[in-house]
Amino acid sequence: MDRVETTKDILGCYEEIVIDTTLNSEFAVAFTLYEKKFVLICPDENNMASRAMIYVLNEEDFNYPHIMLREVPIKEGRELPAGIYRMICLHEQDTLIASLQTFEEKIADVIDRLIILMTLTPLEIEHEFQKEFMFYWNSVASDKKVNLYIGQKDSFARLSVYQKNDKVRYVDQDILLNDINECNKGKKVWQERVDYAAFYIPITDRREIIPSHCGKRWGLEEVHNVIYGKRMSHISRETFLLLKQEIINAREIALVFEMDTDNMPVTFVVKITCKNNSAKTLYEKIMEDAIKVEEMRSVRNDYYTLNSKIGNSCNAIGKTALLVGAGSLGSYVAAELAKNGFNKIKIYDSDKLTEENTMRWVYGGWLNGLAKPSAIKILLEQSHPEINIEAVNKNLATTDLQKEIEQVDLIIFTVGSTDVQLQMNRLLKSMKCSVPVIYVWLEAGGHYSHILTVNYKENGCFECLYTDQQGTMINNKVNLNAEAISEQNILRNGCGGTRAAYGTAILLRTTAVLLETLKQIFDYNVMESALIDITPDEVRNMGQVFVAEGCRCCGNRNIE
């Protein structure tokens, strides 16, 4: 197959296209469409994943969406027309599988897409620019990047500005960063810039707001149009009034604008330089004193944004989880809680890390000799500055739990001691605990694990697992291992010390089911006492089959 001739035959079917017959190339076809010159690079017929590519030729000031900004100069003497090439992006990543198309389909597809792009209405052009807003904005913005920590903010707010060498953060004043008070030789590493003002300004009407791009930069006119548009109001009246009330005396001001585009927030920053640092309202500074505007490169790194971008629930952000037990299971649970919306965790455990924990603990053999809660704190807080871990390097006592109930939003037990769990269970029941409580445990052998959610306003509690219907205390009745199997998987180290062997796969699947359980509680407000059995093959919600009417803790009682 002559791919160039085949391509020309397909292009000849379009009345809008005029083919350049003077080009003699084995892989490219030049053509004119709507008075613009283009070059189509044919796909490789021997490579099923190859795609057709289109470049616009000698149109350096062609300001149109999806035209890439990088210019590629081609000199005479090659199999391409000489000139400046800019590639056209006609496909979103992973939306098309090139391997499923024939050669002819690939050519027709890119030409059809190009014609659609070239015939967009002004409103559609605006919409396409907004979809790629940050690509264009960052292409012309200052190389100095600003890290934004804004969270779920949706109203005008003053932001704190911190600098560490060449790193800069704009932080909402309601957000606590775990490293903001870090010191080196008695001096804070992150210095607050009191001479620099930054503000978050939500845009409520995004019409006619397009990014800086090739040939069209933002200046005072564009900023003034957002703050006080004559044709339309881009900000709410409440924000406008606050701008007129906020008094500042800084010469440099950063405005962090945010608007929704197709349900995705676009956050961009402009730095305004004023005539002087005289005290005036923010509105006056912007509208009267501003003399220079600079686009700033920025990225939102706040915990809320990073979670929402990957589809995590954000309903638990700001809530505190109490984790009792930081052993193998507890370490996995803590790590995943921190990556799934729980950025405030308090952990109790008295045990220290040893080399024996290397294969059982989620972080391997790091920080051996350190108390496990402290090790988790160090490792998790390094992963993101909004993750705040309170490490309590001792076992949870009843007096501790009495205080914690009033301060936390969730309690999870991953401790191995049944006696401790039974004791805490009775205390929680007696105190009419109002927060969700979850008990998680593994059976020896690595096959079975269980999750028990308890609503202490209802019948059903941890002690029910150890109670028959007559009220007699027995061994855990919901465990599924035969006693002989459990005995085979107990490791003994002398002097009464034991450890269950269960591998690591069980830790992963149990933690995954726990996350789904938490999603039901915090996303859908479903909190009922229930037993969940987990095996490598299935997850079974057994409901309240575990409840024992004769339970000495919760049975035969009228629950208010």
Side-chain angles (χ1 to χ4, degrees):
M1 179 182 70
D2 187 328
R3 56 178 176 166
V4 169
E5 289 304 316
T6 301
T7 299
K8 288 181 178 180
D9 288 342
I10 296 172
L11 267 59
C13 297
Y14 292 86
E15 296 181 356
E16 307 95 324
I17 291 178
V18 178
I19 300 173
D20 181 356
T21 58
T22 64
L23 179 64
N24 184 20
S25 173
E26 295 183 356
F27 61 86
V29 176
F31 63 93
T32 301
L33 173 66
Y34 302 130
E35 301 182 350
K36 302 293 183 184
K37 294 181 179 180
F38 300 92
V39 175
L40 186 153
I41 307 298
C42 302
D44 183 353
E45 66 269 32
N46 297 316
N47 179 1
M48 61 191 302
S50 177
R51 293 182 177 183
M53 307 295 293
I54 294 182
Y55 292 80
V56 63
L57 180 61
N58 293 330
E59 293 287 350
E60 294 91 334
D61 297 324
F62 187 26
N63 300 317
Y64 221 72
H66 306 298
I67 309 295
M68 305 302 286
L69 302 173
R70 180 169 175 259
E71 298 178 349
V72 180
I74 300 294
K75 298 180 180 179
E76 290 283 0
R78 302 190 182 187
E79 289 191 75
L80 292 171
I84 303 297
Y85 286 67
R86 290 169 61 195
M87 191 179 76
I88 303 176
C89 179
L90 295 170
H91 299 94
E92 289 186 317
Q93 186 175 355
D94 298 329
T95 58
L96 182 71
I97 303 174
S99 300
L100 301 181
Q101 291 182 305
T102 65
F103 181 92
E104 293 78 5
E105 288 172 337
K106 292 177 181 179
I107 301 299
D109 180 60
V110 294
I111 294 299
D112 289 342
R113 290 172 183 267
L114 178 62
I115 291 174
I116 291 172
L117 178 63
M118 297 298 296
T119 55
L120 292 175
T121 67
L123 187 60
E124 289 171 331
I125 290 174
E126 175 186 300
H127 182 66
E128 292 302 311
F129 266 126
Q130 289 179 346
K131 284 168 59 177
E132 306 292 337
F133 196 101
M134 295 312 297
F135 168 77
Y136 290 102
W137 186 269
N138 286 333
S139 69
V140 299
S142 165
D143 288 336
K144 296 178 181 179
K145 185 176 71 173
V146 176
N147 291 287
L148 304 175
Y149 295 86
I150 299 171
Q152 302 182 62
K153 186 66 68 179
D154 59 2
S155 58
F156 173 82
R158 184 161 191 161
L159 307 176
S160 298
V161 180
Y162 296 96
Q163 185 165 357
K164 173 185 176 183
N165 299 324
D166 60 344
K167 297 180 180 178
V168 179
R169 290 172 171 174
Y170 298 166
V171 185
D172 180 78
Q173 295 179 355
D174 292 332
I175 289 179
L176 174 64
L177 301 184
N178 63 47
D179 62 352
I180 210 65
N181 292 316
E182 178 185 346
C183 292
N184 183 17
K185 297 181 180 179
K187 184 178 180 181
K188 283 191 174 183
V189 173
W190 286 98
Q191 294 289 321
E192 186 169 7
R193 290 284 304 274
V194 295
D195 60 322
Y196 194 99
F199 297 89
Y200 172 78
I201 302 177
I203 293 173
T204 54
D205 190 334
R206 59 185 170 94
R207 288 178 295 171
E208 299 183 2
I209 296 180
I210 62 173
S212 289
H213 55 281
C214 183
K216 180 63 176 176
R217 300 288 295 269
W218 267 51
L220 287 173
E221 180 182 350
E222 284 72 23
V223 175
H224 289 170
N225 181 54
V226 173
I227 299 302
Y228 186 60
K230 294 180 179 179
R231 295 185 64 248
M232 64 187 69
S233 297
H234 293 291
I235 60 177
S236 69
R237 176 170 174 77
E238 179 185 8
T239 297
F240 181 76
L241 293 175
L242 289 171
L243 289 172
K244 288 199 162 190
Q245 295 171 12
E246 186 78 30
I247 304 294
I248 60 171
N249 58 1
R251 186 166 185 263
E252 292 184 322
I253 305 168
L255 304 180
V256 180
F257 292 115
E258 185 167 78
M259 62 184 183
D260 283 332
T261 59
D262 294 335
N263 297 320
M264 287 294 294
V266 171
T267 311
F268 57 103
V269 181
V270 296
K271 184 176 81 170
I272 294 176
T273 302
C274 299
K275 299 174 184 176
N276 50 53
N277 60 356
S278 60
K280 290 186 179 181
T281 68
L282 178 56
Y283 178 83
E284 291 171 330
K285 282 285 191 179
I286 296 171
M287 303 299 291
E288 300 172 9
D289 276 12
I291 57 175
K292 180 183 175 183
V293 170
E294 180 183 359
E295 302 99 333
M296 299 292 291
R297 187 183 299 270
S298 65
V299 59
R300 280 196 63 164
N301 282 328
D302 54 80
Y303 187 77
Y304 168 78
T305 297
L306 297 185
N307 274 277
S308 58
K309 275 185 177 179
I310 63 171
N312 277 347
S313 169
C314 296
N315 291 329
I317 294 178
K319 299 184 184 299
T320 301
L322 173 62
L323 180 63
V324 184
S328 53
L329 178 58
S331 71
Y332 277 77
V333 169
E336 293 306 317
L337 285 177
K339 290 188 290 185
N340 283 270
F342 288 88
N343 61 324
K344 296 172 66 178
I345 309 172
K346 190 169 187 177
I347 307 173
Y348 279 82
D349 199 309
S350 65
D351 203 8
K352 292 185 178 181
L353 280 173
T354 66
E355 292 181 356
E356 289 181 289
N357 300 131
T358 299
M359 299 304 168
R360 293 165 62 98
W361 218 59
V362 69
Y363 299 109
W366 290 2
L367 304 176
N368 281 338
L370 198 65
K372 291 178 178 178
S374 292
I376 292 175
K377 175 182 175 66
I378 291 172
L379 295 165
L380 287 184
E381 289 191 348
Q382 285 181 349
S383 66
H384 193 276
E386 281 185 68
I387 295 176
N388 290 278
I389 308 297
E390 186 175 351
V392 185
N393 300 319
K394 68 170 189 175
N395 291 329
L396 181 72
T398 55
T399 53
D400 298 320
L401 185 57
Q402 288 172 339
K403 297 176 183 177
E404 299 294 354
I405 290 176
E406 304 299 325
Q407 302 174 18
V408 301
D409 303 283
L410 168 71
I411 302 173
I412 301 176
F413 287 95
T414 55
V415 63
S417 171
T418 299
D419 286 325
V420 168
Q421 293 175 96
L422 287 170
Q423 182 184 31
M424 297 305 172
N425 173 74
R426 287 206 170 189
L427 177 59
L428 291 167
K429 184 63 179 179
S430 67
M431 295 187 67
K432 298 181 180 179
C433 177
S434 60
V435 302
V437 179
I438 301 177
Y439 300 85
V440 191
W441 71 99
L442 317 173
E443 294 193 42
H447 197 79
Y448 302 112
S449 59
H450 309 270
I451 294 174
L452 179 69
T453 61
V454 179
N455 181 349
Y456 282 99
K457 296 179 180 179
E458 302 174 355
N459 278 352
C461 69
F462 185 78
E463 191 166 321
C464 288
L465 304 175
Y466 293 85
T467 307
D468 63 18
Q469 292 302 325
Q470 288 71 45
T472 304
M473 297 290 285
I474 58 175
N475 281 333
N476 193 328
K477 63 189 179 188
V478 303
N479 280 351
L480 300 173
N481 264 344
E483 189 171 335
I485 298 296
S486 297
E487 181 66 21
Q488 290 173 9
N489 288 280
I490 294 297
L491 305 176
R492 293 178 170 82
N493 60 2
C495 298
T498 62
R499 177 179 292 164
Y502 40 69
T504 55
I506 191 173
L507 297 167
L508 294 169
R509 62 174 176 265
T510 304
T511 303
V513 177
L514 175 62
L515 294 178
E516 288 299 321
T517 303
L518 293 173
K519 190 173 182 179
Q520 292 294 317
I521 295 172
F522 288 94
D523 287 6
Y524 305 112
N525 202 29
V526 177
M527 183 55 216
E528 57 185 11
S529 299
L531 172 69
I532 301 172
D533 291 339
I534 306 164
T535 75
D537 305 313
E538 61 179 337
V539 176
R540 292 174 293 180
N541 189 326
M542 307 301 293
Q544 298 190 355
V545 298
F546 71 97
V547 176
E549 292 184 4
C551 175
R552 300 176 187 177
C553 179
C554 71
N556 298 321
R557 296 171 181 260
N558 293 320
I559 307 300
E560 297 181 0

